[in-house]
Amino acid sequence: MKVNYLIVGAGLTGLTFANLLAQNENNKILIIEKRHHIGGNAYDSYNANHILIHNYGPHIFHTNNQTVWDYLSQFTEWCDYQHRVLSFVDGQFIPMPITLETINQLYNTNFSQFEMVDFIESQKESVVPIKSSEDVALNNAGRDIYEKFFMNYTTKQWGVVPSELDPAVISRIPFRFNRDTRYFTDRYQGIPKAGYTKMCEQMIDRPNIKVMLNTDYKEVRDAIDYDKMIYTGPIDYFYDHQFGKLKYRSVRFEMEDHDCESFQKSAVVNYPNDYDFTRITEYKKITGQQGRKTTIMKEFPCDGEEPFYPFPTKEWQELYLLYKAKADAEKNVIFAGRLAEYRYYNMDAVVDQAMRFFEMRFL
Amino acid sequence: MKVNYLIVGAGLTGLTFANLLAQNENNKILIIEKRHHIGGNAYDSYNANHILIHNYGPHIFHTNNQTVWDYLSQFTEWCDYQHRVLSFVDGQFIPMPITLETINQLYNTNFSQFEMVDFIESQKESVVPIKSSEDVALNNAGRDIYEKFFMNYTTKQWGVVPSELDPAVISRIPFRFNRDTRYFTDRYQGIPKAGYTKMCEQMIDRPNIKVMLNTDYKEVRDAIDYDKMIYTGPIDYFYDHQFGKLKYRSVRFEMEDHDCESFQKSAVVNYPNDYDFTRITEYKKITGQQGRKTTIMKEFPCDGEEPFYPFPTKEWQELYLLYKAKADAEKNVIFAGRLAEYRYYNMDAVVDQAMRFFEMRFL
Ligand SMILES: Cc1cc2nc3c(=O)[nH]c(=O)nc-3n(C[C@H](O)[C@H](O)[C@H](O)COP(=O)(O)OP(=O)(O)OC[C@H]3O[C@@H](n4cnc5c(N)ncnc54)[C@H](O)[C@@H]3O)c2cc1C
Ligand SMILES: Cc1cc2nc3c(=O)[nH]c(=O)nc-3n(C[C@H](O)[C@H](O)[C@H](O)COP(=O)(O)OP(=O)(O)OC[C@H]3O[C@@H](n4cnc5c(N)ncnc54)[C@H](O)[C@@H]3O)c2cc1C
């Protein structure tokens, strides 16, 4: 089969490339996707209770990048949405990230902004030299805040105690010395009105884009004659793990249906110190869906098959660089996206990155 | 690309073949689908109000065939559902098909079963010889019932007045001399709990089934090396319309969102004598979904691009037979399904047919 562009992966990276390349009607584009659906980790679908869930964990779109916002707005309308997260600490539900509200609720104080600055200063523990993520946190926030909000959460998230984790993982603890309890403060924030999957369908609604599902590209690549490949899968897999496997952290998702309108006070509640899951998401609170039932999702980080989070430590970054050197030398393959660049990108960042690559390489 | 089976069309016919063939792990199967989704006309999806709709008109699963029911039950759970239809006639909403309730409501009588038999007999108008659908209806049901329920509905549905329509179109008018107002009386009746599309996804959730979307098979067939093709698209298209185009009736669907819990009394209301649409479907009443809003669909039959209903008249059946003679002579192509067999099949019938073909040809 002859195509101009073979795109591996139907996540937001691959779909953005496909959409941009398809604007030239002469380009024939084939997307190959391993899963049975498009959308990558942003995929959403309805469960048997007719509740829209994000199958790979809660996805909130937020960006300061107007170009990306305008670009995606061609394919979807948005529900205005401001994300808020509570953290279950000392038996209370306390706003995250750490704001004036968090401190005042945690310590039952009534600090002003200025008093909070002083308070945080007084908490900090100087550790030199900084060798681990724990050291970063102690220097930044002191022991109490570190232990209550970060220590156990990070341990669950990465499977390693912060005292043994590279400083890159907790590179700083963000404080907000005001009462803005929103999780993100980006200029644009929202949820696609009919869901991410529908937005993704719109992106490739062109006759010169073909999509092949349930297919690992290695199963078919020899049968396809292409000018250029855009590869958005794991970079180590591309090279048959020849330098060894890169480490990705995975997540096991457990869904629960509940017979009540509302399960918890905010869309996401973190459980740093209790249970084996890191957080619970209640999807109706993200999508604004109404109804008498609700569905929640618990996230259990694990070392599983599905690569979700590239490991942000020096050791793995170095292994990645071995692969990257090979990738940079490829003439007909572009490596892009979260898995191929081994980097934790948000959705807006992968779209931005794909748009830039496209401009650089194809215009 | 080398596969054993190339399946054209991801409707229930193609998916049943794919599923059955895939049980042999050595079979490599590729499905090619023109649309951006699987499921064929049974496809359902959620709209921006989070309401599950059937994109190609209301689909009620009903069958007396236990084998088909058990087979599909591997892929879905079912919501029990008994379909009911009202017809808006003389300003009233009256049950369809014609039962004792229909007659008593229409004429404000209080007939017993036995009186209804006599009444219908007294209404019949003998027309010989029978040349048209109108003649069938007059012989069967008399002028009043024919004019009120069938004449205008049939005209809208087929774009031809029944007096000019082959007797095959209205081949008989079914009466029920009891108070059973269900639309179907089949032993098994239901709606897939998470929708038809999810059921379809389950049918092809096997590593040896690949799916290519957005692709007309003619665009890629030369690049694919297959042992056998299963073709479920329109038969005339397969032969490049060489004997002329077959006539299919199409439908234009209009969706409306309404800000109320409930729009109408039953899932489907027919409008034989008013408006240009034939019927209104309220999807929540089929799926049992709850919520403060509702979505309805109006159906406007038309001569459009999408082939929905093969034309059940002699002229077109004869043209079909020319194609069928060619098809029967093909060694490596199986023609199956509603479009390839040019026959109005229900969902259970296409699954049954595919299972039979599979047994005959592949076991
Ligand atoms: C739990 C979680 C929560 C997140 N929350 C947010 C959030 O709130 N906001 C935000 O902006 N971002 C969030 N993200 C990040 C977001 O998911 C990513 O930015 C985005 O999905 C990356 O798109 P991508 O196309 O680069 O990669 P992916 O979405 O991973 O897509 C890559 C695709 O390639 C396919 N593929 C891989 N290998 C092969 C192969 N060999 N052959 C064929 N296909 C292959 C995969 O199946 C996948 O579909 C979150 C991520 C996770 C894991
Ligand atoms: C308005 C309406 C209401 C219905 N209601 C009911 C109901 O209540 N109950 C019931 O049992 N049945 C109902 N049906 C019938 C039901 O839809 C069919 O029985 C069933 O969908 C037939 O499946 P199929 O696979 O044979 O055909 P389809 O579902 O039509 O699938 C054929 C597929 O082939 C694809 N295709 C065609 N040409 C090509 C090509 N050149 N290249 C690639 N792909 C191609 C098409 O896009 C389509 O997806 C209804 C049908 C309609 C139109």
Side-chain angles (χ1 to χ4, degrees):
Chain A
M1 197 175 307
K2 169 82 189 98
V3 296
N4 302 101
Y5 297 98
L6 180 70
I7 299 180
V8 177
L12 279 169
T13 304
L15 300 180
T16 303
F17 272 105
N19 172 266
L20 295 172
L21 289 166
Q23 287 168 10
N24 177 341
E25 284 167 24
N26 297 322
N27 284 338
K28 284 193 162 189
I29 297 141
L30 173 62
I31 306 176
I32 310 267
E33 169 56 54
K34 212 169 64 171
R35 296 176 178 162
H36 75 283
H37 59 75
I38 66 167
N41 287 345
Y43 173 67
D44 53 14
S45 69
Y46 288 80
N47 66 13
N49 276 335
H50 306 293
I51 292 173
L52 181 60
I53 54 152
H54 298 173
N55 298 59
Y56 303 98
H59 278 68
I60 317 299
F61 189 83
H62 57 100
T63 190
N64 284 313
N65 185 323
Q66 196 191 337
T67 313
V68 168
W69 177 258
D70 288 345
Y71 172 72
L72 290 178
S73 300
Q74 298 173 264
F75 312 113
T76 186
E77 293 180 69
W78 300 91
C79 293
D80 293 340
Y81 174 74
Q82 299 281 351
H83 193 48
R84 285 175 209 269
V85 174
L86 297 171
S87 196
F88 184 66
V89 168
D90 290 351
Q92 295 188 69
F93 295 96
I94 301 181
M96 274 296 277
I98 295 174
T99 61
L100 186 51
E101 291 289 324
T102 314
I103 296 296
N104 278 334
Q105 280 191 39
L106 183 65
Y107 297 110
N108 199 22
T109 50
N110 196 12
F111 290 153
S112 69
Q113 299 203 2
F114 314 105
E115 288 164 332
M116 174 172 166
V117 175
D118 294 343
F119 173 76
I120 297 294
E121 279 310 313
S122 76
Q123 294 290 100
K124 292 183 175 176
E125 253 177 54
S126 156
V127 187
V128 255
I130 290 182
K131 290 199 194 121
S132 69
S133 274
E134 177 165 297
D135 299 343
V136 174
L138 292 175
N139 263 293
N140 238 240
R143 185 163 302 272
D144 200 51
I145 289 175
Y146 162 61
E147 287 185 353
K148 285 185 169 152
F149 292 101
F150 299 99
M151 189 173 73
N152 297 321
Y153 195 94
T154 307
T155 307
K156 285 193 225 177
Q157 176 75 14
W158 297 105
V160 183
V161 290
S163 58
E164 287 171 20
L165 263 180
D166 195 300
V169 179
I170 304 186
S171 61
R172 76 190 186 92
I173 288 179
F175 286 109
R176 238 178 255 157
F177 296 95
N178 62 26
R179 304 174 68 191
D180 186 347
T181 57
R182 292 174 302 163
Y183 201 71
F184 305 114
T185 54
D186 302 56
R187 176 146 179 210
Y188 303 100
Q189 196 172 152
I191 304 291
K193 229 181 202 146
Y196 289 98
T197 305
K198 282 270 174 221
M199 176 182 87
C200 290
E201 285 175 3
Q202 290 300 315
M203 293 178 77
I204 55 169
D205 185 19
R206 289 177 175 262
N208 50 342
I209 303 178
K210 314 291 174 208
V211 186
M212 199 162 170
L213 299 177
N214 279 0
T215 310
D216 190 307
Y217 84 108
K218 287 188 186 173
E219 296 178 88
V220 297
R221 73 180 151 182
D222 296 337
I224 296 166
D225 177 9
Y226 56 87
D227 300 331
K228 263 207 164 50
M229 181 192 286
I230 290 136
Y231 181 78
T232 78
I235 189 168
D236 54 343
Y237 181 75
F238 185 90
Y239 291 111
D240 302 318
H241 308 114
Q242 65 177 98
F243 304 125
K245 274 197 163 190
L246 279 168
K247 188 171 170 108
Y248 293 90
R249 187 76 169 157
S250 194
V251 184
R252 186 166 54 80
F253 301 108
E254 272 183 20
M255 301 282 186
E256 283 174 20
D257 297 325
H258 287 265
D259 254 329
C260 53
E261 281 255 354
S262 169
F263 178 84
Q264 61 189 22
K265 284 235 174 66
S266 62
V268 170
V269 175
N270 289 349
Y271 287 87
N273 309 317
D274 302 83
Y275 309 111
D276 294 335
F277 47 83
T278 47
R279 54 179 182 173
I280 296 182
T281 300
E282 184 177 8
Y283 281 105
K284 282 166 68 183
K285 298 234 157 48
I286 293 178
T287 58
Q289 214 179 327
Q290 306 287 343
R292 289 187 231 154
K293 295 186 174 186
T294 194
T295 297
I296 62 162
M297 175 192 256
K298 295 176 176 167
E299 285 173 63
F300 299 83
C302 60
D303 291 322
E305 268 310 294
E306 280 277 7
F308 282 128
Y309 299 99
F311 230 75
T313 64
K314 227 166 75 191
E315 174 189 4
W316 300 104
Q317 286 303 317
E318 276 165 10
L319 178 54
Y320 162 66
L321 289 178
L322 294 183
Y323 285 113
K324 182 171 186 309
K326 291 203 72 158
D328 287 342
E330 301 277 352
K331 288 234 166 49
N332 289 319
V333 187
I334 292 176
F335 293 78
R338 214 173 42 89
L339 299 169
E341 296 182 67
Y342 196 63
R343 202 168 141 180
Y344 189 91
Y345 279 127
N346 275 323
M347 291 181 283
D348 62 327
V350 298
V351 173
D352 181 52
Q353 181 79 336
M355 292 175 90
R356 280 167 200 271
F357 267 127
F358 174 76
E359 277 180 29
M360 272 178 348
R361 304 281 294 258
F362 302 112
L363 286 190
Chain B
M1 198 176 305
K2 170 81 190 98
V3 296
N4 302 101
Y5 297 97
L6 180 69
I7 299 180
V8 177
L12 278 169
T13 304
L15 300 179
T16 303
F17 272 106
N19 172 265
L20 295 173
L21 289 166
Q23 287 168 10
N24 177 340
E25 282 165 25
N26 298 320
N27 284 339
K28 284 194 162 188
I29 297 142
L30 174 61
I31 306 177
I32 310 266
E33 168 57 54
K34 212 168 66 171
R35 296 174 177 163
H36 76 283
H37 59 74
I38 66 167
N41 287 344
Y43 174 66
D44 53 15
S45 69
Y46 287 79
N47 66 14
N49 276 336
H50 305 293
I51 292 173
L52 182 59
I53 54 152
H54 299 174
N55 298 61
Y56 303 98
H59 277 67
I60 317 300
F61 189 83
H62 57 99
T63 190
N64 284 314
N65 186 324
Q66 194 190 339
T67 311
V68 168
W69 176 258
D70 288 344
Y71 172 71
L72 290 178
S73 301
Q74 298 174 264
F75 312 114
T76 187
E77 294 181 68
W78 302 90
C79 292
D80 292 339
Y81 173 73
Q82 298 281 351
H83 194 49
R84 284 175 210 270
V85 174
L86 297 171
S87 197
F88 184 66
V89 168
D90 290 353
Q92 295 187 69
F93 296 96
I94 299 180
M96 274 297 278
I98 294 175
T99 62
L100 186 52
E101 290 291 321
T102 315
I103 297 297
N104 279 334
Q105 280 189 39
L106 182 67
Y107 297 110
N108 198 22
T109 49
N110 196 11
F111 288 153
S112 68
Q113 298 203 4
F114 314 104
E115 288 164 333
M116 174 175 166
V117 175
D118 294 344
F119 174 76
I120 297 295
E121 279 310 312
S122 76
Q123 293 291 100
K124 293 182 176 175
E125 253 178 51
S126 156
V127 186
V128 254
I130 290 182
K131 290 201 193 118
S132 70
S133 274
E134 177 164 298
D135 298 343
V136 173
L138 292 174
N139 265 295
N140 239 240
R143 186 163 301 273
D144 200 51
I145 289 175
Y146 162 61
E147 287 186 354
K148 285 184 169 153
F149 292 100
F150 299 98
M151 188 173 74
N152 297 321
Y153 194 95
T154 306
T155 308
K156 286 192 222 174
Q157 175 76 12
W158 297 105
V160 183
V161 291
S163 57
E164 287 173 18
L165 263 180
D166 196 298
V169 179
I170 306 185
S171 60
R172 73 188 189 94
I173 288 179
F175 287 108
R176 237 179 256 157
F177 297 95
N178 62 26
R179 305 173 69 193
D180 185 347
T181 57
R182 293 173 303 163
Y183 200 71
F184 304 114
T185 53
D186 301 57
R187 173 143 180 214
Y188 304 100
Q189 197 172 150
I191 304 291
K193 229 182 202 145
Y196 289 99
T197 306
K198 283 272 172 215
M199 176 182 86
C200 289
E201 286 176 0
Q202 289 300 315
M203 292 177 77
I204 55 170
D205 184 20
R206 288 175 176 262
N208 50 341
I209 303 178
K210 315 292 174 207
V211 186
M212 201 164 169
L213 299 177
N214 279 1
T215 310
D216 190 308
Y217 84 107
K218 287 189 187 172
E219 297 178 87
V220 297
R221 72 179 150 180
D222 295 338
I224 296 165
D225 177 9
Y226 55 87
D227 301 329
K228 265 209 163 47
M229 181 193 285
I230 290 136
Y231 181 79
T232 78
I235 190 167
D236 53 342
Y237 180 76
F238 185 90
Y239 291 111
D240 301 319
H241 307 114
Q242 67 178 96
F243 304 124
K245 273 198 164 191
L246 279 168
K247 186 170 171 111
Y248 292 91
R249 186 76 170 160
S250 194
V251 184
R252 186 166 55 78
F253 301 109
E254 273 184 19
M255 299 284 185
E256 283 175 22
D257 297 325
H258 287 264
D259 254 327
C260 53
E261 282 254 353
S262 169
F263 178 85
Q264 62 189 21
K265 284 235 175 68
S266 62
V268 169
V269 174
N270 289 349
Y271 287 87
N273 309 316
D274 302 82
Y275 309 111
D276 294 336
F277 47 85
T278 47
R279 53 179 183 172
I280 296 183
T281 300
E282 184 176 7
Y283 281 105
K284 283 167 68 183
K285 297 232 157 51
I286 293 178
T287 58
Q289 217 181 324
Q290 306 287 343
R292 291 188 228 152
K293 296 184 174 188
T294 195
T295 297
I296 61 163
M297 175 192 256
K298 294 176 176 167
E299 285 173 63
F300 298 83
C302 60
D303 290 323
E305 268 310 294
E306 280 278 5
F308 281 128
Y309 299 100
F311 230 74
T313 64
K314 227 166 75 188
E315 172 189 5
W316 300 105
Q317 285 304 317
E318 275 165 10
L319 178 54
Y320 161 67
L321 289 179
L322 295 183
Y323 286 114
K324 182 170 186 307
K326 291 201 72 155
D328 287 342
E330 302 278 354
K331 288 233 168 48
N332 290 320
V333 187
I334 293 176
F335 292 77
R338 215 174 42 89
L339 300 168
E341 296 182 68
Y342 196 64
R343 198 164 144 182
Y344 190 90
Y345 278 127
N346 276 322
M347 292 182 282
D348 62 327
V350 297
V351 172
D352 180 51
Q353 181 80 335
M355 292 175 90
R356 279 167 202 272
F357 268 127
F358 174 77
E359 275 179 29
M360 273 179 346
R361 303 280 295 255
F362 302 111
L363 287 188

